[in-house]
Amino acid sequence: MKIKIGNAVSLSTPESFKITTDDRQTMIQTDGGNVVQDYGHIASGDKITLTATFHKDNFILVWNYFQTRTLITFIDPSGITWQSMRVKVISYGYFSRFEDYITCELELWTI
């Protein structure tokens, strides 16, 4: 399955796809046992990391979302739609002899 970031569509399924939750609980070790400090799960702090390949024209769209800090709609490989996501381009590079195809590592933040 391809992914969609705003109007940009990937060439194929991302090579990696991971959701990291913002779970704010901590176990505190005490002399008599343990205590849990729990501030809950903060959904607006969840983030998705992935590595995907885009045609140059679609990557430029992703790059512009990153530069302008535009909130986008993201459709993941399973078809789930995520609203109001922010794009962070961590890194990108070209394929040797295929400069029109760009692989990039991205973070998508729920806001």
Side-chain angles (χ1 to χ4, degrees), residues 3 14-19 48-51 74 76-77 82 108:
I3 59 168
E15 295 172 25
S16 64
F17 183 89
K18 181 173 75 170
I19 299 172
I48 298 170
T49 55
L50 59 91
T51 301
F74 171 64
D76 72 17
W82 303 71
L108 300 164

Side-chain angles (χ1 to χ4, degrees), residues 11-106:
L11 290 173
S12 60
T13 303
E15 295 172 25
S16 64
F17 183 89
K18 181 173 75 170
I19 299 172
T20 304
T21 60
D22 185 359
D23 183 23
R24 298 185 184 183
Q25 63 179 329
T26 305
M27 184 184 306
I28 302 169
Q29 297 176 344
T30 63
D31 197 21
N34 298 300
V35 176
V36 175
Q37 182 178 34
D38 191 349
Y39 294 107
H41 167 236
I42 311 301
S44 66
D46 292 351
K47 67 182 176 181
I48 298 170
T49 55
L50 59 91
T51 301
T53 301
F54 294 88
H55 184 271
K56 175 178 59 178
D57 296 336
N58 282 290
F59 176 75
I60 289 170
L61 291 173
V62 173
W63 181 258
N64 287 333
Y65 298 142
F66 166 63
Q67 288 292 329
T68 61
R69 308 303 202 226
T70 302
L71 295 180
I72 54 89
T73 298
F74 171 64
I75 301 175
D76 72 17
S78 66
I80 296 173
T81 300
W82 303 71
Q83 301 292 334
S84 299
M85 301 290 287
R86 193 163 187 172
V87 179
K88 179 180 179 183
V89 177
I90 297 171
S91 64
Y92 68 94
Y94 302 92
F95 285 102
S96 177
R97 294 177 290 173
F98 299 100
E99 293 83 11
D100 286 344
Y101 301 97
I102 299 168
T103 295
C104 56
E105 184 180 357
L106 305 172

